[in-house]
Every structure is written in C-alpha cells, then in structure tokens.
C-alpha cells in the first residue's frame, strides 16, 4: 500500500491556472509564460500543464490579481505589485524616478533586491520571478513631449502610485486606469496619452491612437517604470510532489527573470522600429532635459523614503540599495 501511495504521488498531474491582465497575443504570454509552461511540461514528462486566463477572464481588476492567487482563484498570476497601492512598499523602490534603464539589467537587479530586501512582504506567496517593464516611454496623441515643460498640463495614464507622483512632479496630470481601457480613453480625448512600456504599445493598439513617442537615450534611466512579478499560490506549490517542485524551481527564479528581461528589451526594440515604420514620431530626451527632470522629481524619492519609514522600513537604505544594484546613482545615468 505504501509503495502504491508513493507511486501515485510521483505520477500526480497538475494543471496550473495562470491569470494576467493583457490579451493572450501579448508577448508576455506568447514569448515568456507559454515557453515557460512548455519547459515545465517537457521536464515533468507531461505531468505539469497550464491553462491561461488572459485579460482578467477570471473576473476582477488587475489590482485584485495578488489576492486571486493568494486565495487560490488562480494558481499563478503575472501582475504589478504596485497595482495594489501601498501593499508591497519595499519593492516599490524600483518604481522611483530614473531607476530603470532597460529590462534586462534592471530585472536582474530587482531579483537581487527582492532577495535582499523584500522577501518578508511576499511571504504569503511562492515567488517565481520579478522583472521590470524596462522603463516607460511617453506616448501622446496630438503633440510630442519635448523636455520638462512638455509635460505641463498633459493628462496621461499612469500604471502605479509612484508613476502618478512622478508625472505630477513633472507638471502632468496622472490618470489611473487598466491597460485595457487606455486606447479607448485616448481616442475619446479623456486622456492625452500614456506612460507605458513598449511591450504594451501594439498588443493594446496604443499605436493606433498615439502619434508621438518620447524617451531617454539608450542607457539612460527612464522617468518611471513598473515592477512586475509572477506569483504562485503557496498552498498549490507546497502540495506538489518533490519532483514537480524541483521542475518549477529549475525553470523559475533567475531563468525566468532572464527570459522576461530579454523579451521585454527585444519587444521594445521592435516596437520602436515599428512605430517609425507606420509614420509615428519617436524623439529622445537630451541629457540636459533628463537632468532637469531628475531635479524636478527628487521630491518623489524623499517623500517615499518618509512614507515607508512610517511603515518601519529604512527608506533611504532601500533607495541606496536599489540605485547601487541598478547603477543609477549618478545624475543622468
């Protein structure tokens, strides 16, 4: 009987319900999560399968994905911790102004930062990966954003609390909304454009309603970025037999972080090329303009350090750790 029970446990099959907020055609599913699932299936001899629920098909809003996976509505989610404002304060450091230069290097830095500084706030989950969106460009419908004064009065969609504070410090008017609503809001004139990662531009048809795009030069940190994560239900993971846990572990963590970074940088390069091909205008902020923006947004960092300090965290220490890991301490880098 004991041998039969062991054999049954070893032969256990599992289907992971994976939820996220983008369309199924988005690179996140097609180029990262689906290949990750394919690896799990192959390495487990077909015993691990995935079922995708894109575009919030399980209901709720992107801000509720962290609870959906915690409560077992989904087994795995891809989401932004910052969508649940104030809930995961330590990890927010990577959403501070001019922290993120690209997806590959910042995602590696973020994974190290999480392991060193933010594990306690994710103790309720099995964390499979962290990454950044590589930094957000400015996408506008009617006029280009040129330098610091270009933001004045512009209503732009922002994805996170710190993104909103950064835009406000630059003189803009932040508007919060899920990615799925942005294109329609721009087409109706509700907002003038959006701060957003290049990975979103074509899957959400943002390219069809914006004509102007602006960002820092390559190797220069962006005004704002979004932290993203793959979280697994802890009980679901704990219930797996040891050999299937080993498969999940092998293809998650650093390998999955690297995959996200490479894909997001590749998608950004392709999207930048493609917007030019369809006749949109892509401009670059000069070093002088970026320096002025950094001065204008310095208060965001100071305010954040104070706020997380009230939650018992050493904000200045966290900022220094993030800037050291990303190499963005010096102005203009």
């Amino acid at each position: 009987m004991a041998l039969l029970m062991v054999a049954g446990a070893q032969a256990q099959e599992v289907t992971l319900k994976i939820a996220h907020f983008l369309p199924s055609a988005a690179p996140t599913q097609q180029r990262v999560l689906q290949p990750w699932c394919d690896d799990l299936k192959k390495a487990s001899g077909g015993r691990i399968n995935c079922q995708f629920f894109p575009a919030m098909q399980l209901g709720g809003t992107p801000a509720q994905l962290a609870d959906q996976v915690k409560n077992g509505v989904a087994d795995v989610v891809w989401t932004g911790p910052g969508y649940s404002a104030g809930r995961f304060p330590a990890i927010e450091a990577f959403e501070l102004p001019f922290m993120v230069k690209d997806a590959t290097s910042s995602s590696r830095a973020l994974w190290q930062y999480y392991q060193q500084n933010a594990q306690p706030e994710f103790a309720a989950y099995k964390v499979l990966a962290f990454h950044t969106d590589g930094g957000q460009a400015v996408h506008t419908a009617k006029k280009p954003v040129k330098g610091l004064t270009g933001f004045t009065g512009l209503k732009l969609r922002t994805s996170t609390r710190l993104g909103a504070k950064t835009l406000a410090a630059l003189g803009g008017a932040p508007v919060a909304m899920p990615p799925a609503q942005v294109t329609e809001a721009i087409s109706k004139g509700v907002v003038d454009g959006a701060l957003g990662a290049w990975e979103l531009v074509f899957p959400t048809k943002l390219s069809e309603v914006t004509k102007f795009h602006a960002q820092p030069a390559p190797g220069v940190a962006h005004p704002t970025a979004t932290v993203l994560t793959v979280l697994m239900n802890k009980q679901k993971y704990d219930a797996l037999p040891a050999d299937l846990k080993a498969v999940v572990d092998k293809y998650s963590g650093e390998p999955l972080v690297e995959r996200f970074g490479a894909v997001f940088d590749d998608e950004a390069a392709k999207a930048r090329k493609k917007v030019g091909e369809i006749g949109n205008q892509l401009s670059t902020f000069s070093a002088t303009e970026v320096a002025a923006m950094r001065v204008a947004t310095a208060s965001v960092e100071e305010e954040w350090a104070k706020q997380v300090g009230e939650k018992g965290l050493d904000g200045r220490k966290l900022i220094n750790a993030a800037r050291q890991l990303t190499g963005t301490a010096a102005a203009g880098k």
Side-chain angles (χ1 to χ4, degrees):
M1 179 65 76
L3 286 173
L4 286 173
M5 289 175 66
V6 170
Q10 291 299 312
Q12 180 182 330
E13 295 185 8
V14 60
T15 297
L16 299 177
K17 293 190 295 182
I18 303 179
H20 62 85
F21 55 86
L22 288 181
S24 59
T28 293
Q29 179 171 326
Q30 295 300 321
R31 296 190 62 195
V32 183
L33 294 177
Q34 184 62 62
W36 174 73
C37 284
D38 294 343
D39 287 341
L40 297 185
K41 185 171 184 175
K42 183 177 180 180
S44 66
R47 289 163 55 212
I48 298 178
N49 293 281
C50 296
Q51 182 178 7
F52 282 94
F53 295 88
M56 302 307 300
Q57 288 178 0
L58 294 178
T61 66
Q64 294 170 318
L65 283 166
D67 279 331
Q68 288 184 0
V69 71
K70 184 179 178 181
N71 298 332
V73 175
D75 299 317
V76 176
V77 299
W78 175 72
T79 188
Y83 297 164
S84 306
R87 183 169 170 181
F88 305 102
I91 209 72
E92 274 189 331
F94 271 65
E95 294 177 343
L96 287 166
F98 299 98
M99 187 69 75
V100 167
K101 291 184 275 191
D102 59 63
T104 299
S105 69
S106 65
S107 295
R108 289 172 183 159
L110 176 60
W111 184 243
Q112 291 180 59
Y113 174 90
Y114 155 70
Q115 292 175 309
Q116 296 167 10
N117 301 286
Q119 288 196 41
E121 63 190 24
F122 292 92
Y125 306 92
K126 169 64 177 176
V127 176
L128 301 181
F130 269 105
H131 71 104
T132 77
D133 60 3
Q136 299 189 348
V138 189
H139 313 280
T140 47
K142 295 181 179 178
K143 63 177 183 178
V145 173
K146 295 184 177 179
L148 180 58
T149 57
F151 287 95
T152 304
L154 274 187
K155 290 187 290 183
L156 298 176
R157 178 262 178 177
T158 56
S159 58
T160 65
R161 183 179 77 90
L162 286 180
K165 288 183 179 296
T166 299
L167 177 59
L170 293 170
V175 180
M177 67 178 69
Q181 298 175 14
V182 176
T183 300
E184 185 179 1
I186 295 172
S187 68
K188 290 183 175 179
V190 176
V191 293
D192 299 306
L195 288 169
W198 285 104
E199 190 259 353
L200 292 171
V201 170
F202 285 92
T204 62
K205 295 182 167 52
L206 192 61
S207 55
E208 297 178 10
V209 294
T210 59
K211 299 299 177 189
F212 303 96
H213 313 271
Q215 65 171 44
V220 178
H222 290 67
T224 186
T226 304
V227 168
L228 295 151
T229 185
V230 182
L231 302 174
M232 184 172 182
N233 177 273
K234 206 167 190 304
Q235 290 72 34
K236 184 81 171 185
Y237 174 79
D238 289 342
L240 294 176
D243 63 329
L244 295 191
K245 282 182 183 175
V247 170
V248 171
D249 291 345
K250 179 179 179 180
Y251 291 97
S252 303
E254 284 188 21
L256 189 52
V257 172
E258 289 291 325
R259 183 173 265 168
F260 268 114
V263 167
F264 267 63
D265 279 339
D266 183 56
E267 289 294 328
K270 290 197 296 187
R272 284 192 290 267
K273 182 181 178 184
K274 200 169 175 182
V275 294
E277 291 172 349
I278 64 174
N280 287 11
Q281 179 183 313
L282 175 59
S283 58
T284 301
F285 298 130
S286 70
T288 303
E289 289 168 340
V290 170
M293 291 178 199
R294 287 185 69 125
V295 171
T297 57
S299 61
V300 177
E301 191 170 287
E302 294 165 11
E303 182 187 354
W304 183 82
K306 182 179 177 183
Q307 286 180 340
V308 300
E310 293 168 357
K311 296 184 178 182
L313 299 174
D314 186 337
R316 185 47 56 187
K317 178 184 175 185
L318 294 177
I319 291 167
N320 290 340
R323 292 219 176 274
Q324 184 176 7
L325 287 166
T326 56
T328 59
K333 286 190 179 179

